[in-house]
Amino acid sequence: MSTQPLSSSHFQVSLPPRSIFSVPDGAGVGIECRSGSVWVTLDRDPRDIVLAPGERFEGSEHRRMLVSALEASCITVSDAQPTAIPLPARRRSPWRLLPLGLSPA
């Protein structure tokens, strides 16, 4: 497997037959098949996504993405769109008023 950077936001990967390229978080990541054919799978997703040359898939959820080469293949991996990671709700303390000279009742 070899990689070639195209720019800071995307790069090419050459995959030998039956090799796997893993993306830990597929949200906002685009995979384009340049040659060969690849099978894209996402954790806990029942779909089978097979890409032929010229076809593209963009991940939309925070899941691990695996790209398996069905034959010798070349893919372009890119950040399709930045996707926000949901943050846990912050617990607000009543003491947040202290800097304003106020205190909780």
Side-chain angles (χ1 to χ4, degrees):
M1 183 177 349
S2 66
T3 61
Q4 296 177 336
L6 298 175
S7 76
S8 61
S9 65
H10 63 282
F11 55 93
Q12 286 187 355
V13 180
S14 295
L15 300 168
R18 297 187 308 271
S19 63
I20 297 174
F21 179 78
S22 178
V23 178
D25 183 355
V29 175
I31 303 292
E32 181 179 351
C33 182
R34 311 286 285 173
S35 65
S37 61
V38 294
W39 176 24
V40 180
T41 57
L42 300 164
D43 283 354
R44 298 178 309 280
D45 190 324
R47 295 179 291 172
D48 285 326
I49 303 154
V50 177
L51 302 178
E55 294 181 328
R56 179 177 175 81
F57 173 77
E58 293 182 10
S60 60
E61 297 184 32
H62 296 282
R63 298 178 181 198
R64 182 178 61 158
M65 179 187 295
L66 299 176
V67 182
S68 305
L70 300 174
E71 58 185 290
S73 303
C74 181
I75 60 172
T76 298
V77 181
S78 62
D79 291 329
Q81 296 176 357
T83 305
I85 297 174
L87 298 175
R90 276 187 32 191
R91 290 181 30 215
R92 297 187 62 111
S93 167
W95 301 107
R96 71 186 181 286
L97 302 174
L98 289 177
L100 302 175
L102 304 171
S103 63

